[in-house]
Amino acid sequence: DLHRYTYVITSSTAGPEWPTWWELGIDGSTRSYINIPSEEGEKYIHMKIQDRAGNTGTGYSGPYKIDVSSPTGSVIINDGEVYTATNTVSLALTCADSVSGVKEVSYQNDGTGWSEWQAHISTKSWELRDEPGERTVEYRIKDNAGNLSLVYSDSIVYDPVKPRIYDVNPSSSDWAGSDMPVDFNLKDEGSSKLQRFRYNISDRIQKPDSGWSEWDYSISGSSHAARQAEITQEGVWYLHIELYDCLLY
């Protein structure tokens, strides 16, 4: 009949140092439940038993793999740019799990619902929600033990609207006997706002290569600005204006 037993939990298959014997019941039988501590890594249960004649047997079972840590990662949209003119962007993605390893990842736009779980890739083309404004991409990771990461996110301003020049006054004229001021308005109806403009008074209708004013940044951050140029020389002239918003449209 069995007489006594002992066991020890280790992180390898090598023979352990045995702890104190546990006595079995008078009929030589027992039922025991072994709780494996929630320490990360691979665990093995080593068992030693002895009968009443002093014969001893040993063995082990395992590995039992334990991972209680969450994976980690990051997501960056368009290399950290603040604005985008298109809702198709590039995601730079990282993920790591030093114990059981990364199994799969998923994504969502602005909290609207997670994608299916899928294999991790380091760069992914992604479609933002097609509405102008600040758009957020969220990213989560699952490891092979089922642990979920925090939700990682990055945001970018989606602005598909180009700035415009309007209400040029006068838009043309007959001959005048004095200097002629020309008023014009600059507007950006998107999310990125105006950034800069310059103008050129040229005798050619085609866009000139030289003779432009210095870039004027006084409109930066505005959605609307009114400005004026003045024609001071005799002849037939054309007013050319270049305008950019913060997306450099």
Side-chain angles (χ1 to χ4, degrees):
D1 290 340
L2 296 176
H3 174 47
R4 55 185 180 175
Y5 75 100
T6 188
Y7 71 89
V8 64
I9 300 171
T10 73
S11 57
S12 76
T13 59
E17 293 186 10
W18 296 100
T20 304
W21 286 103
W22 294 81
E23 298 293 330
L24 295 175
I26 193 168
D27 61 352
S29 65
T30 189
R31 173 175 292 180
S32 180
Y33 298 94
I34 299 174
N35 291 319
I36 301 174
S38 58
E39 297 173 356
E40 292 186 326
E42 295 187 349
K43 304 298 180 183
Y44 297 84
I45 300 175
H46 297 262
M47 181 75 69
K48 182 166 68 170
I49 57 175
Q50 189 177 76
D51 64 18
R52 296 188 183 279
N55 299 306
T56 300
T58 61
Y60 70 87
S61 61
Y64 302 95
K65 299 178 180 180
I66 299 175
D67 178 3
V68 297
S69 296
S70 298
T72 58
S74 65
V75 55
I76 298 175
I77 305 172
N78 281 4
D79 295 323
E81 292 290 335
V82 177
Y83 302 101
T84 178
T86 173
N87 71 323
T88 300
V89 296
S90 177
L91 306 181
L93 304 157
T94 67
C95 62
D97 188 276
S98 61
V99 185
S100 63
V102 170
K103 182 179 182 182
E104 50 198 1
V105 300
S106 66
Y107 314 85
Q108 72 173 346
N109 275 324
D110 302 306
T112 56
W114 288 101
S115 70
E116 296 293 323
W117 289 103
Q118 54 200 269
H120 165 73
I121 53 177
S122 59
T123 303
K124 182 177 180 64
S125 178
W126 182 255
E127 298 255 332
L128 301 173
R129 193 154 55 92
D130 195 11
E131 295 179 17
E134 185 176 77
R135 302 273 67 87
T136 298
V137 178
E138 294 172 299
Y139 169 61
R140 62 179 179 174
I141 307 154
K142 183 194 294 183
D143 67 18
N144 284 294
N147 299 309
L148 295 181
S149 70
L150 298 173
V151 174
Y152 299 97
S153 66
D154 193 23
S155 298
I156 194 167
V157 176
Y158 171 43
D159 179 7
V161 182
K162 292 185 177 183
R164 61 189 180 95
I165 303 159
Y166 70 104
D167 285 351
V168 179
N169 184 34
S171 58
S172 64
S173 75
D174 291 327
W175 293 101
S178 62
D179 294 348
M180 180 177 295
V182 180
D183 297 310
F184 54 92
N185 286 268
L186 312 172
K187 190 169 187 177
D188 186 85
E189 296 171 306
S191 304
S192 62
K193 306 302 182 184
L194 298 170
Q195 192 211 49
R196 57 178 169 159
F197 80 98
R198 65 179 181 174
Y199 66 87
N200 189 310
I201 299 171
S202 170
D203 60 1
R204 299 192 307 163
I205 196 169
Q206 297 86 5
K207 180 180 177 180
D209 298 322
S210 60
W212 290 89
S213 67
E214 295 294 323
W215 285 110
D216 188 334
Y217 287 86
S218 66
I219 64 172
S220 181
S222 301
S223 57
H224 170 263
R227 292 293 185 269
Q228 185 182 87
E230 189 168 22
I231 300 172
T232 59
Q233 297 181 4
E234 292 183 338
V236 176
W237 302 99
Y238 298 89
L239 175 63
H240 300 265
I241 303 171
E242 273 193 335
L243 172 64
Y244 289 95
D245 66 10
C246 290
L247 266 170
L248 300 184
Y249 260 157

